[in-house]
Structure formats: C-alpha cells, structure tokens
Amino acid sequence: MRLGVHVSISGKIYEAVERARGLGCETMQIFSRNPRGWQASKLNEVDADEFKRRRKIFGIWPITVHLPYLVNLASPKKELYRRSIQAFIEDIKRAEILGAEYFVTHLGSHRGSGELSGIKRFSQALNIIIEETNPKIKILLENTAGAGDSLGYNFRQIRDIIARVKTKELLGLCFDTCHAFAAGYNIAEKEGLNKTIQEIEKFLGKESLWIIHLNDSKSSLGSRVDRHQHIGKGKIGKKGFRNILTHTKLKDSIFILETPKDSPGADKRNMTLVRRLADFHTCRIFQPTRLTELSTA
C-alpha cells in the first residue's frame, strides 16, 4: 500500500512535494495548473527539475497529475471539443515534464447527444491526443457518479471507450470510491465490493486498476450525486473502508485521498484513520526533511 493526498500547487510547483512530505505521503496527486481556467502559464523547467529532485529525495511515488475540470472530450460542440483536445495535449506534456507516472482524466459529458456519441467523441479525441504526444505516461480513466449527461458511471462504458483507442496499453482505470457508491455500486458491503471488483475484471481486465481515489460519500447509494466526505463520516463508513483497505485484491494499491480540506488537520486525520483501518502497522512515518538537507542532496 502507498497512501497520499491531492495537494495544492500554490506558490512554486515543487512546494507541493513539501506539502505532501509534511503530511507523511508516500504518493501524491496534483493539478499541474489552475484546474478551473483555460489559460496556463508555461511550466518553468528549473522548477520542474526541482520538483523531480525533491520527490526523488523524499521517496514519493508515483506522482499523479489530474486533468482540469473544464476539459470535455465528449462534447458535441466543435469549439469546446477542439479546445479540450488542445488543453489535454498541453497537460499531458506538463505531466511528463514533471516526471509523473499517471495522468487521470474524467470522461466528460455528452451534453444531450447520447452516450454512444459521447463515447465515440471521447475515444476519437484520445486517439488524436496520443498520436500528437506519443506519451510515456499512463492515462487513467476515472469512473464517475453519473450526474447529468456524464460518462463513465459503469465499467461497460469505460470498456467501450478503451475498445476504440488504438494504443490500449497506455490506458487504465482510476477507481473513485465515492463516485462508484453514488453510481450504485454498494462497495460499503463486502458482497457489493466483491461484485464491483468482479465487474471491473470482467469489462477491463485484472490488471486495469492502477489508482484508487479513496473518498467517502455524502450522498446516498445510487444517488448519482458526487459529494466527497471524510473517511468514515459518509455513507460508505468505517466498516466499508476497512473492507476496501484489507481486500486481498486492493490492499496493496495506490490510494489517494480527495477528502474535504475544511480544517487545517483534515488530511492528516483522514490518513491516520486510513492506516488504522488498514491495520497498516508497517508503514513508514516520514519526518519532514529540512531545506538545508535538500541543498546538499
């Protein structure tokens, strides 16, 4: 098991590594730029090198970069579709400059054009993006809660997207626990968790799962409402997360928390509880490294 959180990139991008280290992360996730805007300043290569240097010193791996929110590769609107493809290409390049191992993308919204149309648009966009960037990074498709016209609320849809992509080996799954529960997968119970894993294996294969976004759900089972909650305080609950964290097919996974940051110590409290629920006695407790040590590394 490797456990981490999504951390802010405010200030210098390499400061995100400091934040992750201070929280005791073994892995981490970031946006490489403002996730709510189209414009992005050029990534400073000196800062990117420092980012890579620090994550190596601290032993933080893998690094996951998440796609910004505005991108919609399933859109039927030509201009938004074109702009989304270009933004995706830019973000893939930024992630590779940072030396990230994984790139997580949501699956977008078909905006009333129909699920099949959205699936075809998304797959077509991925083929264009991969041909343009020839990436070494693994692109992970994240399951969704299924609100509105969003795609990816079941694993059959994700399979249908991957089936239309030429270089399938570049793709994998990012499994979000909150999204799955809200979409109707009862992972709070052992039987429902087992059925969910079986469905992933049936449609995507046993080796498809690379990252787990570990989030409790404020919303009810099958509500299709995406509302993240602190671990153990939502509808999945402590018992549900103990089952997830100790499941033989999941317990050695890479877990990234995207739980609410509504108080200064929220991330640390969630990480502490996760380790306790996982009975993770052998985990390393990291001590923050002084900047003076970094300068001589």
Side-chain angles (χ1 to χ4, degrees):
M1 177 186 291
R2 295 189 74 80
L3 178 62
V5 301
H6 185 110
V7 294
S8 168
I9 60 165
S10 63
K12 295 289 188 179
I13 197 162
Y14 54 75
E15 292 176 24
V17 187
E18 292 286 322
R19 295 184 184 101
R21 174 71 171 192
L23 290 168
C25 295
E26 294 103 32
T27 183
M28 62 184 280
Q29 177 177 277
I30 59 169
F31 293 112
S32 72
R33 61 185 179 92
N34 178 5
R36 300 185 185 278
W38 290 105
Q39 299 300 319
S41 58
K42 186 177 179 180
L43 192 58
N44 185 301
E45 290 192 19
V46 173
D47 290 350
D49 287 343
E50 183 63 14
F51 179 95
K52 289 185 283 189
R53 189 173 78 93
R54 293 188 181 208
R55 62 81 60 102
K56 183 177 181 181
I57 291 168
F58 295 155
I60 296 179
W61 64 268
I63 300 288
T64 301
V65 173
H66 201 296
L67 183 72
Y69 299 121
L70 295 179
V71 173
N72 184 5
L73 297 184
S75 175
K77 296 182 179 180
K78 290 183 179 180
E79 179 56 26
L80 177 56
Y81 188 64
R82 181 199 65 77
R83 199 172 190 183
S84 294
I85 290 173
Q86 189 56 46
F88 202 113
I89 288 170
E90 291 171 2
D91 273 78
I92 283 281
K93 290 178 178 178
R94 292 169 73 90
E96 294 206 315
I97 289 171
L98 291 170
E101 284 78 17
Y102 300 119
F103 187 81
V104 171
T105 175
H106 52 269
L107 302 186
S109 169
H110 62 77
R111 296 294 185 185
S113 64
E115 291 182 355
L116 181 57
S117 174
I119 287 169
K120 288 179 177 178
R121 296 281 276 178
F122 193 96
S123 302
Q124 179 186 37
L126 276 185
N127 280 321
I128 293 169
I129 290 161
I130 290 169
E131 185 175 354
E132 173 71 22
T133 59
N134 189 26
K136 296 179 177 63
I137 197 169
K138 196 85 171 178
I139 300 171
L140 306 183
L141 311 184
E142 182 177 2
N143 63 301
T144 65
D149 296 328
S150 63
L151 298 174
Y153 58 86
N154 64 53
F155 303 108
R156 185 191 300 271
Q157 287 186 343
I158 297 175
R159 178 204 63 184
D160 291 346
I161 287 172
I162 294 174
R164 289 172 167 84
V165 176
K166 296 174 185 176
T167 48
K168 297 172 179 58
E169 65 275 9
L170 288 175
L171 306 181
L173 173 67
C174 173
F175 178 67
D176 188 297
T177 55
C178 169
H179 297 174
F181 187 80
Y185 291 95
N186 190 9
I187 58 173
E189 302 294 335
K190 279 189 177 181
E191 183 180 357
L193 177 61
N194 286 332
K195 286 181 178 179
T196 301
I197 294 170
Q198 288 167 7
E199 186 170 325
I200 291 172
E201 292 180 344
K202 174 184 176 181
F203 289 118
L204 302 177
K206 292 183 178 180
E207 305 301 322
S208 62
L209 181 57
W210 293 85
I211 296 285
I212 297 176
H213 282 170
L214 203 65
N215 304 303
D216 212 331
S217 175
K218 286 185 180 180
S219 305
S220 300
L221 177 68
S223 64
R224 298 285 187 93
V225 179
D226 177 11
R227 294 289 184 273
H228 293 195
Q229 178 60 294
H230 298 290
I231 302 299
K233 294 185 179 295
K235 303 295 184 179
I236 299 175
K238 290 181 182 179
K239 181 181 176 182
F241 280 102
R242 182 177 287 111
N243 292 336
I244 292 167
L245 291 160
T246 58
H247 195 285
T248 55
K249 293 187 176 182
L250 303 179
K251 63 185 180 66
D252 295 325
S253 298
I254 297 156
F255 293 98
I256 296 175
L257 292 163
E258 298 176 321
T259 43
K261 299 180 186 295
D262 49 14
S263 65
D267 283 333
K268 278 194 173 182
R269 286 194 295 272
N270 279 301
M271 289 184 72
T272 298
L273 178 57
V274 166
R275 287 195 170 101
R276 180 164 63 81
L277 293 174
D279 195 25
F280 195 37
H281 298 307
T282 59
C283 67
R284 292 171 60 194
I285 304 301
F286 290 116
Q287 296 299 325
T289 299
R290 296 190 302 273
L291 288 178
T292 52
E293 295 175 45
L294 276 174
S295 64
T296 59

